[in-house]
Amino acid sequence: MVSLLWWILKCEQKSAFVLSQNISQSGLQQASLPPRGWNSYDSFCWTISEEEFLQSAEIVSQRLKAHGYQFVVVDYLWYRKKVTGAYPDSLGFDVIDEWGRMLPDPGRWPSSIGGKGFSDVANRVHSLGLKFGIHVMRGISTQAVNANTPILDTTKGGAYQESGRVWRAKDIAMPERACAWMPHGFMSVNTKLGAGRAFLKSLYEQYAAWGVDLVKHDCVFGDDLDLNEISYVSEVLSELNRPIVYSLSPGTSVTPAMAKDVSGLVNMYRITGDDWDLWEDVKAHFDVTRDFSTANMIGGKGLKGNSWPDLDMLPFGWLTDPGSNEGPHRFSKLTLEEKRTQMTLWSLAKSPLMYGGDVRKIDATTYELITNPTLLEINYFSSNNMEFPYVTSSINLKHPGGKKRRPKKGIKASFTHSLGLTGCSESKASGWSIESLNQDLERICWKNGLENKHQATFCVHKRELQFRLDGVSMYPADYRGKHQLVATDRMKFCLDASPKRKVTSREFRRGTFSPCRWDSNQIWELNSNGTMVNSYSGLCATVEYVEANVNSGGIRSWIATGRTGEIYLAFFNLSEQKTEIYAKTSYLAKVLPDKSITSCKGKEVWSGTDVITTQGTISMNVEIHGCALFLLNCN
Ligand SMILES: *[C@@H]1O[C@H](CO)[C@@H](O)[C@H](O)[C@H]1NC(C)=O
Ligand SMILES: *[C@@H]1O[C@H](CO)[C@@H](O)[C@H](O)[C@H]1NC(C)=O
């Protein structure tokens, strides 16, 4: 925290200089508008080649650049050799240099041969009038740790030396902080060590030298939070001559409170797990997006400019499957209504728009959707963006004062415990208390939210850490006062915050008991205020009682104002039933305080129909999973 504060102060002091430098370069602050572009992940997973990437970049430049799509981004594992046995979490196929830094796989990226890295690709991208982005992982690769490569000191040249010796990968690596969703690939480095910082600096200086304009930094945010690494990388980027947009991904279980620690250090940060072409994924974005707009996080202060909550790529058109070993081979499973809903929410929330489908095979409907001028105008230039809570559907109107549907009698709701992770300063995190069972057994229980009698108390037993020093350097001092939490009925199983699979907003489940092992995801510390900190992410555990099979949905609405005083109003139908949605025009003024509104007229964007308010009400039938988008002039 001290270093973060120091960094913020330092940043404030420098801002005058940075500002004038940026104005002379581009006339704009960094990411003053939500970044827009194309990313290779949804269509190529990790397997993209240089030829495929440059073909795609050319099409982005011809067809999308004029609509603001400016970045082309190579997603993860560009350094992994595409040979039999290599897959997203395999070990032993990565290309590294003598300093343990990742190099593009020369089989897939032939222009990198001869130590050129991504320089030729970046040049080609720049010549198309676009900007070049790459995905990078947390810390250091397992491959570099196994090879125990020396650390490059970019300030002095040659190997990093301190206390009269050369420092190597094993000195800075933290094997117990392996990336939870790619445990064989990467692990954190200790940023408290000069050599750890020198290593990170050597990476980002190289990216800048290649001509990179955006880095998408993975496995450092959300449940994988590594605030030390984010803070230090942000510092390195701020000191480079080259402006580099700093993006964090993914953002599983991120809350506004958690994001406030990083939003000023970066330019975009994901606020959910991965989004794929599934309705449940789209729907899962509504609540979290509302929370970030309510907390005023949209377009807040960021690294050398602004920062944007990021809702993830748009998985439309011709795609691949998550975590697969192949390129594009199937169409998006979203219906047209669902795609419109996604594009409309993303635009109204001012999310970065990164198209994910194969641009070489983009269909006309997808192309029209992602270049829709009204949506792109909203995405860049609207303000007062927020959820509009004053809508109602015909079901309620037809039965004024109508009863809420209650669960049928005799059917017991079934609850399950689910572990959540949240910022430790949030009051809901203080729910743990400890009791002694006997001399050497202590029990820790979650005491919050016990209003429902059907819910059993959730308890674990406390166990001292058992260090296993198997030839890897450990930092026992960092783990003093910490312990593992054992299941009350199975002493060899420990509470573990690791995800089970690569997380998406849908698949995500943490907090299982797994066999006890030396892993920071299993190491916890109970604070005197009743919070329980996880050593992997620094986030605190909560327990929720989740009702099984709840059918959420219903109707939602968002509102924003345009550059010339127009009002954008969207109705979303997340339910499984067709209903008419109503909004009273007088309520529009409630969220737009400088206006007083009696009547509006305008158009519904998707149908092109004229809209005139009758009796102070705007209404429309909205298809299942679909949306209506009104462009209104009100007075
Ligand atoms: C509890 O204590 C920890 C450690 O002192 C602190 O970081 C955290 O913000 C506190 N949380 C609450 C909810 O009081
Ligand atoms: C949502 O869509 C379903 C299915 O078409 C429809 O029955 C229902 O009326 C719609 N709801 C709203 C609020 O428009």
Side-chain angles (χ1 to χ4, degrees), residues 392-394 554-555 572-581 620-626:
T392 161
S393 77
S394 54
I555 56 168
F572 298 96
N573 179 359
L574 311 186
S575 78
E576 307 299 326
Q577 278 192 345
K578 185 161 180 162
T579 340
E580 202 167 354
I581 305 183
M620 175 139 298
N621 277 308
V622 182
E623 291 304 321
I624 177 169
H625 302 171

Side-chain angles (χ1 to χ4, degrees), residues 146-444:
N146 289 347
N148 205 17
T149 47
I151 311 292
L152 173 64
D153 183 341
T154 59
T155 320
K156 296 187 188 142
Y160 182 89
Q161 301 201 28
E162 199 186 308
S163 316
R165 69 176 177 99
V166 167
W167 287 65
R168 292 179 173 271
K170 283 191 180 164
D171 300 321
I172 62 165
M174 305 177 87
E176 78 283 10
R177 292 176 55 95
C179 171
W181 64 263
M182 197 199 281
H184 296 101
F186 287 83
M187 62 190 80
S188 287
V189 299
N190 191 339
T191 56
K192 289 177 194 149
L193 301 173
R197 294 193 298 275
F199 177 73
L200 291 174
K201 196 170 179 189
S202 75
L203 299 181
Y204 289 83
E205 288 187 351
Q206 180 171 61
Y207 304 146
W210 286 344
V212 166
D213 306 294
L214 178 149
V215 286
K216 176 178 173 184
H217 195 184
D218 204 318
C219 210
V220 289
F221 191 45
D223 292 335
D224 302 299
L225 187 66
D226 190 335
L227 198 49
N228 292 331
E229 183 164 332
I230 296 171
S231 306
Y232 186 66
V233 168
S234 180
E235 182 180 332
V236 171
L237 293 179
S238 77
E239 283 165 358
L240 294 171
N241 289 325
R242 184 173 191 83
I244 295 186
V245 168
Y246 188 17
S247 160
L248 302 181
S249 159
T252 315
S253 61
V254 168
T255 60
M258 203 190 290
K260 278 178 181 150
D261 286 341
V262 305
S263 57
L265 303 172
V266 304
N267 299 110
M268 50 194 271
Y269 50 95
R270 287 270 301 282
I271 59 173
T272 60
D274 286 0
D275 174 80
W276 276 91
D277 54 328
L278 298 162
W279 171 245
E280 291 306 314
D281 280 10
V282 177
K283 194 163 92 173
H285 283 78
F286 276 84
D287 286 351
V288 67
T289 305
R290 172 200 57 212
D291 296 345
F292 274 77
S293 80
T294 307
N296 271 318
M297 302 291 282
I298 297 174
K301 185 179 175 319
L303 173 66
K304 295 182 178 178
N306 295 95
S307 64
W308 305 92
D310 176 8
L311 275 54
D312 202 8
M313 278 94 75
L314 300 164
F316 306 157
W318 195 236
L319 304 175
T320 185
D321 293 300
S324 74
N325 266 15
E326 49 182 340
H329 58 272
R330 64 173 184 90
F331 265 111
S332 174
K333 290 183 280 229
L334 296 174
T335 66
L336 179 58
E337 294 295 335
E338 292 167 344
K339 288 180 215 176
R340 283 178 176 167
T341 290
Q342 176 161 12
M343 188 69 193
T344 306
L345 179 67
W346 266 230
S347 299
L348 274 163
K350 306 195 74 159
S351 170
L353 296 178
M354 295 283 171
Y355 180 59
D358 184 350
V359 283
R360 302 168 309 171
K361 286 183 84 166
I362 194 166
D363 57 285
T365 313
T366 300
Y367 180 75
E368 275 163 32
L369 183 60
I370 68 168
T371 59
N372 180 294
T374 309
L375 291 176
L376 296 185
E377 165 78 20
I378 294 172
N379 178 247
Y380 266 176
F381 302 115
S382 61
S383 46
N384 298 312
N385 309 61
M386 64 185 97
E387 188 171 270
F388 180 68
Y390 307 101
V391 285
T392 161
S393 77
S394 54
I395 295 174
N396 296 337
L397 281 191
K398 279 179 196 151
H399 309 280
K403 291 170 200 137
K404 265 196 184 166
R405 264 204 259 151
R406 284 170 206 283
K408 281 187 196 140
K409 284 227 174 93
I411 299 178
K412 259 205 202 133
S414 82
F415 289 90
T416 56
H417 290 128
S418 151
L419 186 84
L421 291 168
T422 188
C424 295
S425 57
E426 291 185 60
S427 58
K428 70 171 180 189
S430 304
W432 297 95
S433 63
I434 190 160
E435 54 193 271
S436 292
L437 295 180
N438 59 45
Q439 227 175 334
D440 25 53
L441 194 57
E442 282 179 313
R443 189 164 77 161
I444 299 179

